[in-house]
Amino acid sequence: MKSVKTHVIASAALSALTLVVTLAARGSLPEQVPVQWGLTGEASSFWPRDVVVFVVPAACVVISLLASARLAGRGERRVAMYYIAPAVALAATAVIVFLGTR
């Protein structure tokens, strides 16, 4: 079994892929990117494009590192637990980019 350190690093690296996704879509994103939608499907909250491109991926990496540190501190042996935060980060980023470029 791989060491916990390997899973923490891999988890952070996967979360960092959100930067690749947002940088690739930067040219297609509007100046104000919708990040929240109401029940009617209309955007109700917007963030500046550069916040979505740079700050969101940084926050994803920090959250992944904090979650991994917490799991490691508890002695978590279920490997999949280390990859939940990056999976959610990548899915959420893909949704924001998809809906933001529509």
Side-chain angles (χ1 to χ4, degrees), residues 81-100:
M81 297 297 286
Y82 290 91
Y83 299 98
I84 290 174
V88 170
L90 286 166
T93 300
V95 168
I96 289 171
V97 167
F98 174 73
L99 293 175

Side-chain angles (χ1 to χ4, degrees), residues 66-80:
L66 290 172
S68 293
R70 176 83 171 158
L71 290 167
R74 289 190 335 202
E76 182 62 57
R77 292 178 178 255
R78 295 175 292 178
V79 173

Side-chain angles (χ1 to χ4, degrees), residues 4-96:
V4 169
K5 187 176 183 180
T6 302
H7 294 300
V8 171
I9 292 169
S11 173
L14 286 171
S15 292
L17 285 178
T18 57
L19 179 61
V20 173
V21 172
T22 57
L23 281 174
R26 187 175 191 274
S28 302
L29 291 170
E31 194 65 35
Q32 293 292 314
V33 180
V35 293
Q36 181 180 5
W37 294 263
L39 294 175
T40 61
E42 296 219 12
S44 58
S45 181
F46 299 85
W47 285 356
R49 177 177 50 217
D50 286 341
V51 169
V52 171
V53 172
F54 298 109
V55 176
V56 169
C60 290
V61 171
V62 168
I63 290 168
S64 178
L65 287 171
L66 290 172
S68 293
R70 176 83 171 158
L71 290 167
R74 289 190 335 202
E76 182 62 57
R77 292 178 178 255
R78 295 175 292 178
V79 173
M81 297 297 286
Y82 290 91
Y83 299 98
I84 290 174
V88 170
L90 286 166
T93 300
V95 168
I96 289 171

